[in-house]
Amino acid sequence: MDKIIVQKQDFDPTTELDLIRANQHHIGAIVSFIGTVRDLEDKTLTKMALEHYPAMTQKALESIATQAKKKWDISNVTIIHRIGELSRSDKIVLVITTSKHRTDAFKSCEFIIDYLKTNAPFWKKEHTKTKSQWVKANNKDTIKSNQY
Amino acid sequence: MNVLYFAALREKLKCSQEHMVAGTNMTVAQLRLLLMEKYGKEHFSDNIICAVNHTVANDLLKLNNDDEVAFYPPVTGG
């Protein structure tokens, strides 16, 4: 069963891995990705604020999961994306995919995070002691997402 | 129509949402032009995305008075 959630609270990857593979005796591969808050180059990040478009986010993530299932032979998908204020090294996002064989699990997991980064309505704002600025979209992410 | 603004765009416009009336056969492109006149062209560059009823929309889409229209900068989640 798919699990797609937007939430403020932290998540436990081990718990989520156990949940997605429970009683799934037909699968042979589980691939996971965790995105975390990276400090700024000058090590001054005090917090990262994550905003989203509440009415659209869930629908956008579900659509990405559905697209992944159409492209690859995967069983279940978990996507957990946090919002609110986060600190350095905090976990932001978890993506897990399962399949019979590893190729589809690897490729679908990569697709989901690549597509989420350019299509799901979240925005990050970095804060230091002296200033705040919105993170700019990365052109490399757009190029990567366009390859699918 | 309920028009919503997010992230940096919301901060620049100092507005998170407003109610507007959709003119007859108004398209997303025409709404963009109206908003440019109201707030300044510099805030609605080509990279500002429009979503109508929670789905990304192109500029040709016609709008209705019960639509929810959102404008936002390129996303940066994940």
Side-chain angles (χ1 to χ4, degrees), chain A residues 30-86:
Chain A
I30 306 162
V31 172
S32 64
F33 169 86
I34 300 168
T36 60
V37 178
R38 184 173 59 245
D39 202 349
L40 297 170
E41 291 293 329
D42 60 5
K43 301 182 174 42
T44 58
L45 188 78
T46 52
K47 71 178 178 191
M48 174 174 284
L50 266 146
E51 178 177 327
H52 76 129
Y53 178 3
M56 184 174 169
T57 323
Q58 184 78 19
K59 182 177 169 181
L61 293 176
E62 286 171 359
S63 170
I64 292 168
T66 300
Q67 288 179 67
K69 286 187 152 185
K70 281 185 184 162
K71 287 174 178 296
W72 293 281
D73 183 15
I74 54 178
S75 294
N76 294 313
V77 174
T78 289
I79 304 172
I80 301 176
H81 199 301
R82 294 180 66 194
I83 52 168
E85 291 187 358
L86 302 179

Side-chain angles (χ1 to χ4, degrees), chain A residues 2-20:
Chain A
D2 295 342
K3 180 175 179 178
I4 296 168
I5 294 179
V6 177
Q7 63 185 42
K8 282 190 178 171
Q9 63 268 41
D10 199 1
F11 52 82
D12 177 31
T14 304
T15 300
E16 298 304 328
L17 282 165
D18 285 343
L19 281 170
I20 200 172

Side-chain angles (χ1 to χ4, degrees), chain B residues 7-36:
Chain B
L9 181 62
R10 182 194 69 247
E11 286 185 353
K12 286 174 189 169
L13 302 185
K14 295 184 175 41
C15 178
S16 62
Q17 66 174 358
E18 59 183 318
H19 189 75
M20 296 180 76
V21 175
T24 310
N25 294 320
M26 180 184 271
T27 61
V28 169
Q30 286 166 331
L31 177 58
R32 276 186 197 269
L33 283 172
L34 266 178
L35 294 173
M36 282 183 190

